[in-house]
Amino acid sequence: IGAVLQSLYSMQFDGVAVLGPTDEDLADYGLEEPAHRFSFIYKNAEGLEFTNEFVVSAKTEDGLYYAYSPIHDMIVRIDKSQMAYLDWEEIDWYEREYFLFNIAHVQTIKLEGAGVKSPIVFTLDNSKSDQSKGMNSDKLEIYANGQLVDYNLTVTKPSGSQVTETASYNFRRFFQALLTASMEGNAELTEEEMAAFRETPDDECLLKITIHADDGKGSTANICYRFYRYTERKAYFTVEVLDSTSDTGNPTEAQGVFYVLRSFCDKLIADAYRFMEGTEIVVDSKN
């Protein structure tokens, strides 16, 4: 939405096609029954609101749009580059990365589902971190199913040198892998097929991830992600906003029309066990 608003704010037209157009002119330029209609309310610095509306034709063969605003009473030509979002597919309206969390705000991450041997709950404890200048995670401690994970491991760098790293540092790699998660495109499923997946019990989906976060300023997030394998490579993906930290969710209330790579789910599960076992997590590895 921000990209669209910025485009509207900076949009320029190529020229005026008709001043004071008649109904016939609107019909000639495809604006009598326009392909697109924009309506928005603008509030100025004094708090006064102004309603704006304009209509846009379908794109012509030469890559132009025609737009009409009753406020300015003219039809203008607009190059397609000024309104590229009119050609967007549904996925283009969303951030492809869907784990947009600050590690300092996350309280718990729970992994469960058919791909997990038994539920894994990571609790992130920042109580020892320096919060004097805002929330951070400089002394983050991680608990796995209630047990503090505390170890050192030796990691060999590409140069051949070796360094000692902590469990907390290894978990940050796990979290970094989460941040790289990306929606790939629209799931090639019918509405009925997607509805059937959403009626699947949680213990039968490939992976369910529940995240609880709090920024310390009154803003909380309780979100559940579910992944359902539907081909060898792809997993149907849904999101559900939960009411509270105690809410376990209802898959039929989740929403989603996109897919992710199933390999991401497999790697995430493997990385969770790597962390608990004290094995180095490699963020950009494929498995």
Side-chain angles (χ1 to χ4, degrees):
I1 296 299
V4 174
L5 291 175
Q6 181 61 36
S7 179
L8 286 171
Y9 180 78
S10 60
M11 185 170 60
Q12 297 178 342
F13 56 84
D14 287 351
V16 177
V18 182
L19 276 172
T22 63
D23 290 343
E24 290 75 13
D25 292 326
L26 293 175
D28 289 343
Y29 286 92
L31 295 166
E32 186 176 45
E33 295 182 3
H36 311 281
R37 185 180 300 275
F38 292 79
S39 180
F40 58 94
I41 296 175
Y42 170 75
K43 181 183 290 187
N44 67 10
E46 287 73 38
L48 298 176
E49 294 184 348
F50 301 90
T51 299
N52 292 264
E53 184 175 297
F54 67 96
V55 294
V56 179
S57 71
K59 185 169 61 177
T60 66
E61 292 183 358
D62 51 358
L64 295 175
Y65 291 102
Y66 289 93
Y68 171 72
S69 167
I71 295 176
H72 302 288
D73 197 26
M74 61 182 178
I75 298 174
V76 298
R77 292 186 299 272
I78 303 174
D79 186 80
K80 64 181 181 180
S81 63
Q82 298 289 315
M83 308 187 81
Y85 50 85
L86 293 181
D87 286 329
W88 281 359
E89 296 182 4
E90 184 171 7
I91 194 171
D92 297 321
W93 289 89
Y94 298 87
E95 291 283 357
R96 297 216 174 197
E97 292 72 30
Y98 47 90
F99 287 108
L100 302 178
F101 293 97
N102 183 329
I103 193 171
H105 299 165
V106 175
Q107 298 177 320
T108 62
I109 302 174
K110 183 177 182 179
L111 284 71
E112 54 191 319
V116 185
K117 298 174 185 177
S118 60
I120 301 171
V121 179
F122 293 128
T123 303
L124 285 64
D125 183 359
N126 268 312
S127 60
K128 296 180 181 179
S129 298
D130 179 9
Q131 311 293 353
S132 61
K133 296 181 181 179
M135 295 188 71
N136 70 71
S137 57
D138 61 317
K139 295 183 180 179
L140 176 67
E141 293 182 330
I142 311 297
Y143 291 77
N145 295 334
Q147 298 294 316
L148 176 65
V149 182
D150 186 17
Y151 56 73
N152 292 322
L153 72 158
T154 301
V155 174
T156 302
K157 298 293 185 178
S159 63
S161 62
Q162 293 186 325
V163 297
T164 300
E165 296 179 348
T166 65
S168 177
Y169 195 92
N170 205 26
F171 184 82
R172 291 176 191 275
R173 291 200 186 94
F174 170 79
F175 194 83
Q176 186 180 348
L178 272 175
L179 296 179
T180 66
S182 174
M183 298 184 295
E184 299 297 324
N186 283 73
E188 303 90 343
L189 299 167
T190 65
E191 291 290 341
E192 292 76 16
E193 288 171 329
M194 288 188 284
F197 276 122
R198 294 195 296 270
E199 292 171 359
T200 304
D202 279 344
D203 60 357
E204 295 180 17
C205 70
L206 173 63
L207 176 63
K208 175 185 177 183
I209 304 175
T210 306
I211 295 183
H212 301 295
D214 188 331
D215 69 354
K217 300 178 182 179
S219 179
T220 61
N222 304 297
I223 301 179
C224 177
Y225 306 89
R226 295 178 178 87
F227 306 84
Y228 306 86
R229 173 184 171 182
Y230 72 94
T231 74
E232 187 64 28
R233 294 182 60 254
K234 299 176 182 179
Y236 171 55
F237 162 68
T238 69
V239 181
E240 181 186 6
V241 178
L242 307 178
D243 292 332
S244 65
T245 56
S246 60
D247 185 0
T248 58
N250 179 350
T252 62
E253 298 295 324
Q255 299 184 34
V257 296
F258 306 123
Y259 79 90
V260 303
L261 295 179
R262 182 198 140 195
S263 58
F264 166 77
C265 300
D266 294 339
K267 173 177 165 47
L268 193 66
I269 295 169
D271 281 349
Y273 287 108
R274 288 186 181 103
F275 166 71
M276 293 187 293
E277 296 164 357
T279 303
E280 178 189 4
I281 295 172
V282 180
V283 176
D284 56 1
S285 70
K286 302 300 182 182
N287 49 48

